[in-house]
Amino acid sequence: MLPLLLISTLPAFTLLLVAPATKSGCKLARELGLLALLLATELLRHATAAGRRLRGRGREPERGARAMPAPPRPRPAALAAPGEEATPAAAGLPLLDLAELALDRVLEELSPASLAAMACVCAALRDRCSADALWERHLRAKWGRVLGATARKEWEAELGARVARASAPRPPRRRTWVDSLACAWPFSWIACRWLKGDAPTAPAAVASEPAPAPSPAAAPTDTVAAWYRALECGEFWFPAQVYNREDGHVGFVLSCYDAHLRYDRRTDTFTARYPPHGRKPAKEEAGVQWGRIRAPPVGTPAHELHASDCLEALRPGDHFEIQWRKNKDFPYGWWYGVVGHQAPCNPNEHLCRCHEDDTIVLEFQHYAPGSRWRQTTVSRKDHRETGDETGGFYGGIRKLQTKDEISTWRRFWPVDVLN
């Protein structure tokens, strides 16, 4: 019967693929071909179901003859009688019978993959394994160094957008004469699949069939576990900053720029998407390593001037980051430098008086002496954005407070001095 059905539906399937959907006559031909396919599929489905029922009736006596009473379940050792020995199977205690603290300790030792697999066992374990306290530890361990407060805010905004898209009303689909035929069709397959999503209730022919068991409720999306999964699977672009953007480009050595990143767990790297530079379109960089990414240390957006609150405390030898952009249409990037001495100053620490002067000398020592990028000056008391279209614009300054920040910048020091 199957070869006959395939031979009879092949012309209709060919007509369905070849006929264009733009012309009215071809549209009718496509719908007729689709109707023939649906009819053939329905007949094949009912023939298969009838064959299964006939085979099942023939095996019922055999199943009854092989049915054996189930062995009694062994009693746990704690419930055994005083003179009764515990069986070896009784030594294994069910996981959910553990004490609360013991169960929590077991779950804390699981990896993220094992914890996610454990959540699929049953409803009770799903609730326990989805607890924020368990996933916060994994989130901090793997993602804490590259996620900041801005990433959390954007994730919450993403959740709100998903809820809005899910609750938005769907536009009604235009119904054709095939829809009307499906409403009155005596078989179940055409009606339930063709009108899926349109009919509020199932047809009468489907109501007689046993309903499938309800699937477990989906895990909530506003949990830390959902955020971890979105990051791990590359479903969420999070904001961060990338050292030496466009790795290997000499124009961005010892800089750090804002970007949105997506993780690729196959290569354990990231794809960075940088914002547009003026009229230039946004750029993407693949293969960004973990060591080139950091969470933004301040919440200042890339196009806004950072309020400098460390100018009075800057002394020669202090390490700093300063905002710089090529022109005012570009976003700021953070650039590494060291506070230098003024020309007439004695560099001896006991004789230096640079901290008493209003002018602060900023040096970028990875550039050669005499280069126009080697040095600039800013006002200690009244610093605002300074510069021009030739040398770029210098913005806010941030003093580096920890040795870890300084050592991270020094890791990207170029092999050769730049000009």
Side-chain angles (χ1 to χ4, degrees), residues 304-306 308 320-328 332-337 362-364 367 371-379 383-397:
E304 295 184 10
L305 181 67
H306 175 67
S308 307
F320 66 88
E321 298 175 2
I322 186 170
Q323 289 178 311
W324 182 87
R325 57 182 175 180
K326 187 176 181 180
N327 59 54
K328 295 195 174 184
Y332 283 113
W334 291 93
W335 296 73
Y336 169 76
L362 306 179
E363 290 186 348
F364 305 94
Y367 286 99
S371 170
R372 63 172 180 168
W373 308 110
R374 170 78 180 197
Q375 189 180 94
T376 190
T377 58
V378 296
S379 173
H383 171 58
R384 301 178 183 273
E385 184 183 55
T386 59
D388 51 38
E389 295 289 341
T390 302
F393 295 87
Y394 296 88
I397 301 174

Side-chain angles (χ1 to χ4, degrees), residues 308-325:
S308 307
D309 55 359
C310 62
L311 299 180
E312 292 294 334
L314 286 180
R315 300 289 187 272
D318 287 343
H319 301 258
F320 66 88
E321 298 175 2
I322 186 170
Q323 289 178 311
W324 182 87
R325 57 182 175 180

Side-chain angles (χ1 to χ4, degrees), residues 341-347 351-354 357 361:
H341 291 273
Q342 297 185 17
C345 175
N346 190 329
L351 301 177
C352 176
R353 293 292 180 267
C354 292
D357 199 286
V361 178

Side-chain angles (χ1 to χ4, degrees), residues 155-179:
W155 169 246
E156 293 174 353
E158 172 71 14
L159 289 179
R162 291 182 182 181
V163 172
R165 288 194 299 266
S167 60
R170 297 181 179 179
R173 183 171 59 87
R174 185 178 180 182
R175 304 175 71 88
T176 63
W177 64 272
V178 179
D179 296 297

